[in-house]
Amino acid sequence: MDDVTPAAVPEAAADKRELIRRRVIEAAADLLAREGRDAVTTRAVAAAAGVQPPAIYRHFADMDGLLDAVAEHGYARFLAAKHAAPAADDPIEDLRAGWDLAVEFGLSNPELYALMYGEPRRGTTSAAFQAGMRILVERIHRLAAGGRLRVDERLAANLIHATARGAVLTWLSLPEDQRDPALLTAMRESMVTAVTNDKPAVQGSGLPAAARALRAVLPEQTTAEQRRAAPPRRMARPPGRQRPA
């Protein structure tokens, strides 16, 4: 006698459907990372996922729907990275670390990041995106509770999100020989200055280039001080990036 209950049949079918959907999303995300957005075609995704092309349209209304799902997959990965990162004791250092983590994710996943953030509304209704924003709001509330927030909490969230997003997209738009890590450090510190009452700081090995960039963006610095900047030295690595072993 067959032990399979009637309820188990649709449940098994739903599990299979979800497994195929996940395979298609992961195949599209892999193609995007390796070959760029133009490579994410119906035929290529179907071949990579081991399904027939019509199967894609049984799971997604169109290719734009698939790209939305890939963006949501990216937000989930970024959320996992946020959860894995320990919080710093000092809320401003925690803010810096969170900003660096966002930038590092973008630099490490350029094609995925461009899909996630290159279009204003893509993926912003996803559960993972909203959960990530709640982590940012918690960081900001911690600053406000300690009397260290300069602006309204909502404005602070928008400024932090905008500067990280703008820093990564600007970096990715530049020719490789024009990608100066001082840009990232300066944008981070200008964000800290804008949203908190903490003094800006250039940390790590950014030194002369980052210091000059900071003098250019901070209003209290004078033109004379900019002329006295140290001569250029070897570029530092971007915030949060490690030297190769």
Side-chain angles (χ1 to χ4, degrees), residues 86-99 138-149 189 192 196-201 203:
D89 292 334
D90 177 56
I92 291 182
E93 288 309 305
D94 195 39
L95 176 63
R96 283 190 175 100
W99 195 95
E138 287 167 8
R139 280 194 171 104
I140 294 166
H141 188 68
R142 188 179 171 203
L143 286 163
R148 303 178 76 179
L149 196 64
E189 294 308 311
V192 170
T196 78
N197 51 28
D198 200 50
K199 291 182 179 179
Q203 298 184 329

Side-chain angles (χ1 to χ4, degrees), residues 180-186 188 201-214 231-239 243:
D180 186 347
L183 169 70
L184 305 179
T185 306
R188 183 191 65 196
V202 178
Q203 298 184 329
S205 56
L207 295 181
R212 286 195 304 278
L214 276 175
R233 294 169 59 187
R234 183 172 59 86
M235 285 197 311
R237 60 188 184 280
R243 287 185 193 278

Side-chain angles (χ1 to χ4, degrees), residues 130-211:
Q130 296 298 330
M133 289 303 292
R134 284 195 293 274
I135 292 174
L136 174 58
V137 168
E138 287 167 8
R139 280 194 171 104
I140 294 166
H141 188 68
R142 188 179 171 203
L143 286 163
R148 303 178 76 179
L149 196 64
R150 184 189 295 273
V151 297
D152 173 81
E153 290 186 39
R154 181 178 295 179
L155 177 57
N158 289 334
L159 282 167
I160 294 162
H161 181 67
T163 53
R165 183 174 182 165
V168 174
L169 293 177
T170 299
W171 178 277
L172 296 178
S173 74
L174 294 171
E176 288 193 14
D177 62 351
Q178 294 180 26
R179 293 176 177 179
D180 186 347
L183 169 70
L184 305 179
T185 306
M187 288 191 72
R188 183 191 65 196
E189 294 308 311
S190 64
M191 174 276 296
V192 170
T193 302
V195 303
T196 78
N197 51 28
D198 200 50
K199 291 182 179 179
V202 178
Q203 298 184 329
S205 56
L207 295 181

Side-chain angles (χ1 to χ4, degrees), residues 13-82:
D15 287 346
K16 182 179 180 181
R17 180 179 175 84
E18 180 56 28
L19 178 62
I20 293 172
R21 184 178 187 276
R22 231 175 15 245
R23 270 172 36 202
V24 170
I25 292 170
E26 288 170 358
D30 183 60
L31 278 168
L32 179 71
R34 289 188 294 106
E35 301 179 38
R37 186 162 169 173
D38 289 346
V40 185
T41 64
T42 302
R43 187 181 298 276
V45 172
V51 299
Q52 293 299 313
I56 293 177
Y57 297 103
R58 290 197 289 271
H59 295 272
F60 308 95
D62 50 27
M63 283 302 290
D64 201 53
L66 173 56
L67 290 174
D68 282 340
V70 173
E72 184 168 358
H73 174 72
Y75 287 124
R77 283 180 53 193
F78 183 33
L79 179 63
K82 283 188 173 186

Side-chain angles (χ1 to χ4, degrees), residues 208-229:
R212 286 195 304 278
L214 276 175
R215 278 194 286 272
V217 297
L218 296 178
E220 64 267 27
Q221 301 299 330
T222 66
T223 303
E225 287 173 322
Q226 293 177 34
R227 285 199 297 267
R228 290 199 298 271

